[in-house]
Amino acid sequence: MQKLLSSCILKRMATDLLTRIKQSAVLCDGAMGTLLYAKGIFINRCYDELNVSQPDLIRGIHHEYLQAGAEIIETNTFGGNGFRLERHSMAPRVHEINLAGARLAREAAKSFDVWVAGSVGPLGVKIEPLGKTSFEEARAAFREQIAALAEGGVDLLVLETFGYLGEIHQAILAAREVNPKIPVVALVTIDEDGNCLDGSTPETFTPRLEEWGADVIGCNCSVGPVAMLDAVERMRALTSMPLAAQPNAGMPRSVEGRNIYLCSPEYMASYARKFVAAGVRFVGGCCGTTPDHTRVMKSALRVGDARAKVISAPVTDQAKPAATPAVPIEKRSRLGAKLASGDFLTMVEIVPPKGTDIRKEIEGARFVKSVGVDGINIPDSPRASARMSNQALSLLVQQEVGIEAILHYTCRDRNVLGIQSDLLGAAATGIRNLICITGDPPKMGSYPDATAVFDVDAIGLVNIVHNLNRGLDIGGNPIGAGTAFVIGVGANPGLSDMDEEIRRFEYKVQAGAEYVVTQPVFDLGLLESFLRRIEHCRIPVVAGIWPLVSVRNAEFMKNELRVSVPDSILERMTRAKTPEAAREEGVAIAREMLIAVRGMAQGAQISAPMGRYSLAVDVLEALGTSRPTSV
């Protein structure tokens, strides 16, 4: 009986809400985190858990907004999904925390004629295609949270601060699976140009949010009222749906180490009227807004002209952005042509210098080019060392030597916006060959306190490049002509957990990888096993070859770089009594590996330890390459 009664109340409240917004705007509350921080809750606390441990605090904030005139209050559950709660070791408490949050808001609202909205934020992890969390896993996490909010009696759901359309789509689907009748407000977060974090413009996200079945669509957070009004006006030109706007109280300014939002309540109120005039029906605030802002906004919305009819414009048909056909791989670069033809290719690794003097690297490139090497493989600050930009060195090698560069591109130091910017720049300057890798964490290098980004991993990076090749940006929006990258990835046949390595390799191929370069090969049995296991998703394999220079070098490879170096190889290097003998033995081993892999792989990448390019050429002689005079 109680469940039936709750269902009837929810249906009535939902109907009342959707009917109300056709007549006039409703005022939402403001920030929860801003007030919690102001009341002395440290930023590293799990704010959602306060629903359970400090319910009076949360209930009090709800009352402040209600007394200021808010007609919708949001539950304190923005980060209440399993992924975010796991950071505080609270993932098993999703149901408890969200149920408590909904009941607290419901209790606070019982003396007011208002609606309670269940707040649902992003998961805090990247989902496919930019991350390893699948759509199904994401939807399940949203479903778990939303089910608890619905059980707690929320009248509607506010999906807020989403920067990636693929993620908010899963949240909408989850909401409909839990209760298809509960109203859903879908809000994306935008930058100063009105674009989502994935690059989606209002012209892209507006029709998609409408198509996916949200009841109200709009923007919140990140920017102040001015930029959000511009975005809302662009949205209104595309749809007659109810719109929502919940801007920050301006852009934050750092004052004595604290982020302060400087928009006054009066300024926010003046824009509340402008939002309503532009057709917005859910008006409120995000970061930096307080009950003082809500109170003045309420007064402004009482003005008669703020109750104007929804301004409607004809809805234009927006075709989904179409990808352009990718340039055939054989036409993208000489490396691509060799991969397409099945010819055996060779590349030599040249590491960027730690300073700006590139004479040694340029001469090394000329040297290896003279023996017929197909390309120069340039890593990106290997082992998290601070070195010259490999993109700059790649460009200089191509310009001054006339040999193609293969650019290592890592996810460690760049967010997705920087990644796209870099890649478009590389394409414009004629760099065509990539190896997409996740990157070594900073703690491996000389600057362990440096921070890493890792917005995406190698799988997500391949997805980005694949889309760029088809003329689409990270948000799936058209950018004109596509890039023409040959997309490579890395693999390690010697890892102990090969099941995970194969799984990630499969994802890389699905994402668009076109060739793979392995870690150095010293154990042919492991390479053979790896090749057998990828037969169902085989792409051209370029085997890594490393001429060892000492037994210490061999031990480093085995114990610190996770490269499989058999005991027999270590014994051979140990028997070398002089540095010269050790280098000769290392070259001999590398030649044996090169001859063996020629019948198994489609190419070889030869390393030049410590910039000794002559060692790489010595190894290449195993293929019958004539040796020029060293420079």
Side-chain angles (χ1 to χ4, degrees), residues 561-608:
L561 296 188
R562 297 193 301 169
V563 173
S564 178
V565 181
D567 290 341
S568 58
I569 299 293
L570 288 170
E571 291 170 5
R572 287 176 63 176
M573 294 303 298
T574 302
R575 289 197 296 267
K577 301 303 181 184
T578 65
E580 292 76 13
R583 285 193 292 271
E584 289 177 2
E585 188 63 26
V587 167
I589 293 169
R591 285 178 174 175
E592 294 168 13
M593 296 298 112
L594 178 57
I595 292 171
V597 303
R598 185 167 190 178
M600 303 162 60
Q602 197 179 322
Q605 172 192 280
I606 318 297
S607 295

Side-chain angles (χ1 to χ4, degrees), residues 17 26-29 70-74 114-117 156 158 282:
L17 176 64
V26 294
L27 180 63
C28 305
D29 60 7
E71 297 169 278
I72 296 178
I73 57 171
E74 293 188 26
V114 299
W115 291 272
V116 172
L156 67 149
V158 176
F282 275 69

Side-chain angles (χ1 to χ4, degrees), residues 361-554:
E361 288 71 27
I362 293 296
E363 289 306 309
R366 288 197 177 101
F367 180 42
V368 299
K369 180 190 176 186
S370 68
V371 301
V373 167
D374 297 302
I376 303 298
N377 190 335
I378 304 182
D380 183 4
S381 297
R383 293 182 291 284
S385 59
R387 293 180 178 271
M388 178 182 178
S389 159
N390 67 330
Q391 187 164 327
L393 183 58
S394 295
L395 179 59
L396 291 168
V397 163
Q398 292 193 161
Q399 289 177 339
E400 297 190 24
V401 181
I403 187 172
E404 285 190 349
I406 300 97
L407 177 72
H408 279 222
Y409 197 87
T410 71
C411 310
R412 175 188 57 233
D413 310 314
R414 308 161 178 92
N415 63 23
V416 290
L417 300 178
I419 287 172
Q420 177 168 299
S421 176
D422 278 355
L423 292 173
L424 291 175
T429 55
I431 295 172
R432 293 289 180 264
N433 308 304
L434 298 178
I435 299 179
C436 300
I437 54 179
T438 300
D440 298 319
K443 292 189 182 298
M444 288 183 62
S446 304
Y447 304 95
D449 293 332
T451 57
V453 180
F454 292 122
D455 250 12
V456 294
D457 63 4
I459 299 166
L461 177 57
V462 172
N463 268 296
I464 292 174
V465 180
H466 178 65
N467 272 340
L468 290 176
N469 275 356
R470 298 160 60 238
L472 300 175
D473 68 7
I474 54 177
N477 308 301
I479 58 173
T483 53
F485 291 117
V486 179
I487 307 173
V489 293
N492 187 351
L495 281 182
S496 56
D497 187 357
M498 276 308 298
D499 289 341
E500 174 67 8
E501 184 72 354
I502 296 299
R503 185 183 70 86
R504 287 184 56 78
F505 181 79
E506 291 169 341
Y507 281 142
K508 292 174 185 178
V509 175
Q510 291 172 14
E514 295 167 316
Y515 73 101
V516 57
V517 179
T518 75
Q519 286 277 36
V521 175
F522 296 100
D523 188 330
L524 293 173
L526 290 177
L527 179 62
E528 290 171 344
S529 175
F530 174 75
L531 295 176
R532 283 195 301 270
R533 295 194 62 178
I534 66 168
E535 197 57 47
H536 63 289
C537 56
R538 181 73 177 264
I539 54 177
V541 176
V542 177
I545 303 294
W546 184 291
L548 296 167
V549 295
S550 65
V551 66
R552 186 174 296 177
N553 182 209

Side-chain angles (χ1 to χ4, degrees), residues 325-392:
V327 176
I329 188 171
E330 64 272 13
K331 295 183 179 180
R332 296 180 215 163
S333 68
R334 291 190 293 274
L335 178 74
K338 277 214 160 188
L339 290 170
S341 67
D343 293 341
F344 192 85
L345 60 90
T346 56
M347 53 182 78
V348 170
E349 183 179 83
I350 291 183
V351 178
K354 292 185 176 179
T356 60
D357 187 352
I358 60 169
R359 287 175 294 180
K360 178 180 179 181
E361 288 71 27
I362 293 296
E363 289 306 309
R366 288 197 177 101
F367 180 42
V368 299
K369 180 190 176 186
S370 68
V371 301
V373 167
D374 297 302
I376 303 298
N377 190 335
I378 304 182
D380 183 4
S381 297
R383 293 182 291 284
S385 59
R387 293 180 178 271
M388 178 182 178
S389 159
N390 67 330
Q391 187 164 327

Side-chain angles (χ1 to χ4, degrees), residues 32-162:
M32 174 65 73
T34 297
L35 267 64
L36 288 172
Y37 185 67
K39 294 176 185 295
I41 304 298
F42 291 121
I43 198 68
N44 61 349
R45 282 286 301 274
C46 178
Y47 279 12
D48 310 274
E49 189 275 337
L50 297 171
N51 296 332
V52 177
S53 62
Q54 298 189 46
D56 289 341
L57 175 62
I58 305 302
R59 190 184 296 109
I61 291 175
H62 287 320
H63 273 292
E64 289 184 51
Y65 280 115
L66 289 167
Q67 290 164 357
E71 297 169 278
I72 296 178
I73 57 171
E74 293 188 26
T75 58
N76 176 41
T77 55
F78 174 80
N81 64 74
F83 288 96
R84 286 188 184 272
L85 292 178
E86 178 60 34
R87 299 173 186 174
H88 302 277
S89 301
M90 297 182 187
R93 300 178 64 187
V94 170
H95 181 268
E96 173 194 11
I97 288 170
N98 284 276
L99 182 63
R103 287 178 173 172
L104 279 173
R106 183 86 274 156
E107 180 183 344
K110 65 184 179 182
S111 299
F112 298 82
D113 184 19
V114 299
W115 291 272
V116 172
S119 173
V120 178
L123 298 177
V125 296
K126 292 293 184 298
I127 69 172
E128 62 173 297
L130 300 180
K132 60 184 179 181
T133 302
S134 69
F135 289 141
E136 291 77 11
E137 291 170 321
R139 190 159 66 252
F142 286 126
R143 191 165 53 241
E144 180 185 25
Q145 179 183 11
I146 291 169
L149 291 171
E151 182 181 341
V154 299
D155 303 308
L156 67 149
L157 295 169
V158 176
L159 315 178
E160 54 185 336
T161 324
F162 282 81

